[in-house]
């Protein structure tokens, strides 16, 4: 689909959004020209999402929630955060520690987790949030200020990973998919890197970008050779993504986890399904006002760009960081094991039960979020089997 065809199926940009998008396109063009006319997709995505003052997560659009561009599990229902809190409770009971949430979005999940842990009388000593978006951190502060004092006083915002290392739980819902990724494409069995160059634009005013291939080199070539060799041959023109930032990210989190669990929840697949020959256009998706599409070069700075998570890569990174892969399950299996049905059944009245049942179906059904979203537990020095992973098969990660 051409850029103009994609634009025609999306809601039009407001004049303010157009100005914002153009300012970011100008910034990216400057960087691209300074780099000799070609940028890796990873650098493009980093600028599109995080360029200071202009990137999607650095600037002020609504982003999450029904009035924003996309809805995450904690925004669908508090049932998600309540189940997650039960998993946290199990780890906190053993570690007597704290919670660190990465990328806390609107703050709703933090509010739900703390409220549920108060009910279970297992509040963490502190609930720390590490958020790269100043705009979302502001939103989190406003949301969490509404919590009862005993809960809100436990919440702190960090500028970087905590020192000294922590005991307890690290939570990251839909953060790994927001890490900038590289793209590649295959021709005659040879892998090329898919980067970004300037495209000719119909008017001198407009700045457009396009895919631009070059021979895969260095770490990308090495990563593709290692991960694709055991898999079936990929068809001509096959295009996909690989997130080379996952391993250093997991290693940095492993460094700060002295004892406890890192719980990742995100959409993604084990590698053999991620790089299945039929998934020939990859997993890169953009979200703008509740519509999903595949063109990262439109609506710059006002749309989200994500790629699914290769959970086998996460597991390899965890092992290299000395963490144990203690759990991997679909979101549906994870939430059912943590008692989501009981939470719906315990609703105060029929009307609430009907509402919660509808929300639970969205979280659980395979055609909604139940199958494509996964939960993974990476642990250190924790022997207890984790309740959320009662039904799982770690062999699928191989
Ligand atoms: C898709 S949103 C998910 C928000 C929230 N966790 C939820 O589920 O509603 C991605 C979040 O990750 C944050 N983020 C991206 N990269 C990050 C990083 N390296 N460390 C911490 N937060 C990050 C973004 O600012 C944003 O809050």
């Amino acid at each position: 689909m051409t850029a103009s065809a994609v634009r025609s199926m999306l809601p039009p940009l407001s004049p303010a959004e157009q100005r914002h998008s153009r300012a970011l396109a100008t910034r990216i063009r400057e960087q691209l020209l300074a780099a000799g006319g070609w940028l890796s997709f990873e650098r493009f995505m980093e600028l599109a999402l995080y360029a200071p003052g202009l990137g999607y997560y650095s600037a002020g659009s609504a982003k999450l929630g029904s009035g924003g561009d996309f809805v995450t599990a904690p925004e669908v229902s508090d049932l998600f955060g309540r189940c997650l809190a039960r998993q946290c409770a199990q780890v906190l009971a053993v570690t007597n520690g704290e919670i660190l949430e990465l990328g806390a979005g609107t703050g709703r999940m933090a509010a739900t987790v703390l409220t549920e842990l108060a009910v279970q009388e297992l509040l963490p000593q502190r609930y720390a949030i590490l958020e790269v978006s100043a705009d979302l951190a502001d939103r989190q502060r406003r949301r969490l200020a509404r919590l009862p004092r005993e809960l809100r006083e436990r919440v702190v915002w960090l500028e970087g990973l905590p020192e000294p290392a922590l005991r307890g739980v690290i939570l990251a819902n839909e953060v790994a998919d927001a890490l900038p990724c590289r793209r590649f494409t295959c021709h005659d069995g040879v892998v090329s890197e898919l980067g970004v160059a300037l495209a000719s634009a119909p008017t001198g005013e407009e700045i457009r970008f396009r895919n631009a291939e070059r021979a895969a080199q260095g770490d990308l070539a090495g990563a593709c050779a290692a991960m694709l060799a055991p898999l079936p041959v990929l068809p001509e023109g096959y295009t996909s993504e690989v997130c080379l930032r996952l391993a250093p990210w997991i290693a940095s989190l492993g460094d700060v986890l002295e004892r406890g669990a890192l719980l990742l929840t995100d959409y993604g697949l084990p590698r053999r399904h991620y790089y299945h020959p039929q998934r020939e256009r990859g997993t890169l998706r953009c979200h703008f006002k509740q519509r999903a599409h595949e063109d990262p070069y439109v609506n710059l700075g006002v749309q989200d760009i994500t790629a699914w998570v290769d959970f086998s890569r996460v597991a390899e990174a965890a092992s290299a960081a000395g963490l144990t892969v203690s759990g991997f399950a679909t979101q549906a299996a994870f939430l059912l094991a943590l008692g989501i049905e009981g939470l719906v059944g315990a609703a105060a009245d029929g009307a609430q039960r009907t509402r919660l049942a509808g929300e639970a179906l969205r979280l659980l059904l395979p055609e909604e979020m139940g199958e494509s979203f996964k939960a993974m537990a990476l642990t250190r020095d924790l022997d207890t089997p984790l309740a959320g992973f009662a039904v799982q098969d770690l062999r699928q990660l191989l």
Side-chain angles (χ1 to χ4, degrees), residues 50 57 64 70-75 80 101-107 109 130-133 136 140 172-180 249 267 304 306:
Y50 306 108
Y57 282 110
L64 293 106
F70 57 92
V71 180
T72 59
E75 300 291 329
F80 180 83
E101 184 180 352
L102 306 169
T106 63
M109 189 171 98
L130 176 56
E131 173 57 71
V132 294
S133 162
L136 284 175
Q140 292 153 18
N173 186 60
E174 287 205 37
V175 179
D177 69 271
L179 298 178
W249 185 64
Y267 34 66
D304 193 20
T306 74

Side-chain angles (χ1 to χ4, degrees), residues 245-325:
R245 295 199 179 180
L246 262 179
W249 185 64
I250 296 288
S252 67
L253 299 177
D255 281 347
V256 301
L257 186 65
E258 184 187 315
R259 183 168 188 225
L262 161 57
L263 292 174
L264 296 177
T265 37
D266 221 314
Y267 34 66
L269 294 163
R271 180 167 299 150
R272 73 178 71 171
H273 298 298
Y274 195 106
Y275 299 111
H276 191 282
Q278 285 178 351
R279 203 177 297 285
E280 59 192 342
R281 279 157 55 180
T283 69
L284 193 83
R285 294 288 177 278
C286 305
H287 298 271
F288 180 64
K289 299 192 176 159
Q290 309 298 333
R291 314 248 170 117
H293 68 91
E294 295 177 10
D295 191 339
Y297 304 131
V298 300
N299 295 353
L300 280 174
V302 294
Q303 72 174 11
D304 193 20
I305 306 174
T306 74
W308 286 30
V309 177
D310 169 2
F311 277 101
S312 303
R313 179 167 290 276
V314 177
E316 287 163 3
S319 301
L323 296 166
T324 304
V325 181

Side-chain angles (χ1 to χ4, degrees), residues 56-378:
Y56 178 72
Y57 282 110
S58 315
S61 67
K63 301 183 251 299
L64 293 106
S66 53
D69 300 305
F70 57 92
V71 180
T72 59
E75 300 291 329
V76 167
S77 175
D78 288 340
L79 292 167
F80 180 83
R82 292 180 69 191
C83 288
L84 203 58
R86 291 173 164 200
Q87 185 58 93
C88 293
Q90 203 195 355
V91 179
L92 293 173
V94 180
T95 58
N96 188 27
E98 60 182 288
I99 293 181
L100 165 64
E101 184 180 352
L102 306 169
T106 63
R108 180 165 168 179
M109 189 171 98
T112 314
V113 167
L114 278 167
T115 305
E116 183 70 20
L117 287 172
V119 172
Q120 307 216 7
E121 297 183 356
L122 268 166
L123 277 170
Q125 290 169 5
R126 143 177 125 143
Y127 193 109
I129 293 178
L130 176 56
E131 173 57 71
V132 294
S133 162
D135 169 52
L136 284 175
D138 267 357
R139 206 159 149 187
Q140 292 153 18
R141 283 195 175 85
R142 278 182 270 123
R143 173 69 186 80
L144 296 169
R146 306 206 301 264
L147 284 174
R149 188 171 171 183
E150 197 211 355
L151 304 189
R152 70 170 187 262
E153 283 185 350
R154 289 169 199 259
V155 185
V156 293
W157 280 262
L158 306 180
E159 293 298 319
L161 287 170
E163 283 180 63
L166 68 83
R167 291 169 160 252
V169 188
I170 303 177
L171 298 174
N173 186 60
E174 287 205 37
V175 179
D177 69 271
L179 298 178
C181 62
R182 306 276 279 271
R183 296 180 83 195
F184 65 88
T185 187
C186 302
H187 297 295
D188 296 326
V190 177
V191 172
S192 304
E193 178 160 10
L194 206 56
V196 182
L198 278 173
S200 54
T203 68
E205 289 280 288
E206 210 174 339
I207 301 170
R208 286 196 181 176
F209 300 99
R210 64 175 171 85
N211 292 333
E213 285 179 39
R214 73 173 196 187
Q217 298 162 1
D219 47 0
L220 179 75
C224 289
M227 72 188 188
L228 299 179
L231 300 179
V233 174
L234 297 173
E236 179 61 21
Y238 185 94
T239 298
S240 193
E241 302 77 41
V242 56
C243 184
L244 299 183
R245 295 199 179 180
L246 262 179
W249 185 64
I250 296 288
S252 67
L253 299 177
D255 281 347
V256 301
L257 186 65
E258 184 187 315
R259 183 168 188 225
L262 161 57
L263 292 174
L264 296 177
T265 37
D266 221 314
Y267 34 66
L269 294 163
R271 180 167 299 150
R272 73 178 71 171
H273 298 298
Y274 195 106
Y275 299 111
H276 191 282
Q278 285 178 351
R279 203 177 297 285
E280 59 192 342
R281 279 157 55 180
T283 69
L284 193 83
R285 294 288 177 278
C286 305
H287 298 271
F288 180 64
K289 299 192 176 159
Q290 309 298 333
R291 314 248 170 117
H293 68 91
E294 295 177 10
D295 191 339
Y297 304 131
V298 300
N299 295 353
L300 280 174
V302 294
Q303 72 174 11
D304 193 20
I305 306 174
T306 74
W308 286 30
V309 177
D310 169 2
F311 277 101
S312 303
R313 179 167 290 276
V314 177
E316 287 163 3
S319 301
L323 296 166
T324 304
V325 181
S326 299
F328 179 59
T330 63
Q331 177 169 292
F334 180 68
L335 297 179
L336 287 166
L338 290 165
I340 189 170
E341 286 170 302
L343 292 175
V344 175
D349 55 42
Q352 192 191 40
R353 192 167 306 116
T354 304
R355 178 177 61 77
L356 290 181
E359 293 174 2
L361 286 177
R362 246 185 112 182
L363 294 173
L364 296 174
L365 284 177
E367 63 273 27
E368 298 267 358
M369 304 176 93
E371 288 283 328
S372 49
F373 283 74
K374 310 287 191 302
M376 179 173 258
L378 308 174

